[in-house]
Structures are given as structure tokens and as C-alpha cells.
Amino acid sequence: GGQKKRVFLASALISPCNLLILDEPVSGIDENGTRSFYKILQELKNKYVFSKTGNLVIDTFVNSAYTFAQNNGVKFHTDFKFDKNSIMVSDYDMCIIIGNLLDNSINACKKQKEKEGVYIKLAIVQTDRHLVIDVKNSSTQSDVGGSKDMTHGYGIQNVKNTMDKYNGIMEIKNTYGEYETLVLIPINQD
């Protein structure tokens, strides 16, 4: 009964997984066990839920990047100042933009041998006319040309194509020590 359920819950909560679905997790468990379960669940949420902007796509990618940063000694800074209701970019397109830009930053951080000073900075700020997404990461690569193989660069091209779709602008700056991608997406003015 209740003891088996406690063991099941404990093993489910300590297992490394990306998604945990629980159906009536505390049925058959006493009051103390129920309190303990919800306390542990809250602690897990506090540990792994970093971003709470209200935009599911942004929060999902940011929380994933945050978990990577926490597990790899990467400093992760965010600055969010936007109204989630004024974003006129589809969820699919936001996945392309945020997913590719953060993925590129994570991959760049993985390549850095010296972990001291490794960082990712993400700012999503709304101005009167634009949604501004600015992603910066530390870099030790001084070559601006990027990789020569054909499997690299599709993500940035997909972001550029998405910017074209929204009449937006994308700018990339690659200097020794920092790589930055800045996108400006116009906000529809009625």
C-alpha cells in the first residue's frame, strides 16, 4: 500500500528524467508522506525552474539552458522585460529563434577548455517598436568564418529566415572573447 507508493515516488523523484507524469501521486499515502512529497516537489521546482516569464516556449528553452549552465559551471545571466501578450511571433518561430541561439551558445561553452569566465547572457526586452533578443556567450575562437563542414550553420540560417518572415533584423558580432547574436522583431502597431 502506502509504503510501496513511497518507494515508487522516491525513485521517480531521484531518477534523471526530463518529464515526470504522476497520476494521483499521493493517494494511499498518509498526511506526513503527502507533506514530504510536496515539499520535495517544490524543492525540485525551485532548483530547475529558473525562468517564469509566462511564455512557455521561452521558459522551456531558458530553463534547459539554465540546467546546462548549473551542471557545467557556466554563468547564466538573464534580463527579461517584455509583455508576454504582445509577442506576435508564433510559438514555432520562437522555438527556432530561442532554441537555435541558446543551442549555439551552449555548444560554444562546451568547446571552451578553460571553464573560468565561461558565460551565457540572454536579454529579451521589449521597446516601443521591437522585441529585442540579445544572446551573448564567451568565446575563445577568434575566427569569424565559422565551421567549414556542411552540418554547421543551419540554425543561424533558420533564425535569419525567421527574421525575414517577420521583417526583422539579425546582427552577429564575433570578437575574440565574445560572440553575440542580436535580433529585432517589429511589434505590430495597430
Side-chain angles (χ1 to χ4, degrees):
Q3 197 61 29
K4 271 186 171 179
K5 189 87 169 203
R6 281 179 180 222
V7 170
F8 169 75
L9 285 174
S11 66
L13 290 175
I14 64 170
S15 298
C17 64
N18 293 326
L19 177 64
L20 178 63
I21 299 173
L22 302 170
D23 183 27
E24 299 181 11
V26 293
S27 65
I29 296 182
D30 63 22
E31 191 176 324
N32 286 336
T34 299
R35 270 197 301 275
S36 294
F37 169 76
Y38 283 113
K39 181 180 177 197
I40 291 168
L41 203 58
Q42 187 60 44
E43 288 171 3
L44 287 171
K45 182 179 174 188
N46 291 341
K47 182 176 180 181
Y48 293 105
V49 178
F50 174 74
S51 176
K52 299 176 188 174
T53 66
N55 180 292
L56 181 62
V57 171
I58 292 171
D59 289 343
T60 300
F61 282 104
V62 170
N63 287 325
S64 178
Y66 174 74
T67 300
F68 162 80
Q70 289 290 100
N71 293 336
N72 292 280
V74 174
K75 292 181 179 88
F76 189 68
H77 307 279
T78 58
D79 181 20
F80 300 131
K81 296 179 183 124
F82 65 91
D83 174 10
K84 67 177 181 171
N85 296 318
S86 68
I87 295 178
M88 298 302 182
V89 178
S90 74
D91 287 347
Y92 176 80
D93 290 335
M94 189 59 78
C95 284
I96 291 171
I97 297 165
I98 299 292
N100 282 298
L101 296 182
L102 283 176
D103 192 48
N104 286 349
S105 290
I106 288 169
N107 286 330
C109 289
K110 285 179 182 177
K111 291 178 183 176
Q112 296 178 49
K113 290 178 176 52
E114 180 61 44
K115 295 301 178 189
E116 184 72 26
V118 177
Y119 65 86
I120 297 172
K121 296 179 181 177
L122 169 65
I124 304 176
V125 179
Q126 181 178 335
T127 67
D128 290 341
R129 303 180 72 193
H130 293 93
L131 180 67
V132 180
I133 302 172
D134 189 18
V135 182
K136 299 177 184 177
N137 59 267
S138 56
S139 173
T140 58
Q141 298 175 355
S142 59
D143 73 327
V144 180
S147 175
K148 301 287 185 230
D149 72 32
M150 295 306 290
T151 61
H152 183 74
Y154 289 123
I156 287 294
Q157 186 60 49
N158 287 336
V159 174
K160 183 181 179 339
N161 292 345
T162 304
M163 288 301 93
D164 291 346
K165 177 179 174 179
Y166 289 94
N167 295 315
I169 299 168
M170 181 175 82
E171 181 180 311
I172 297 173
K173 297 178 190 172
N174 190 357
T175 59
Y176 188 79
E178 184 171 79
Y179 186 91
E180 175 181 16
T181 307
L182 177 70
V183 298
L184 297 146
I185 305 166
I187 296 174
N188 289 343
Q189 311 258 325
D190 293 331

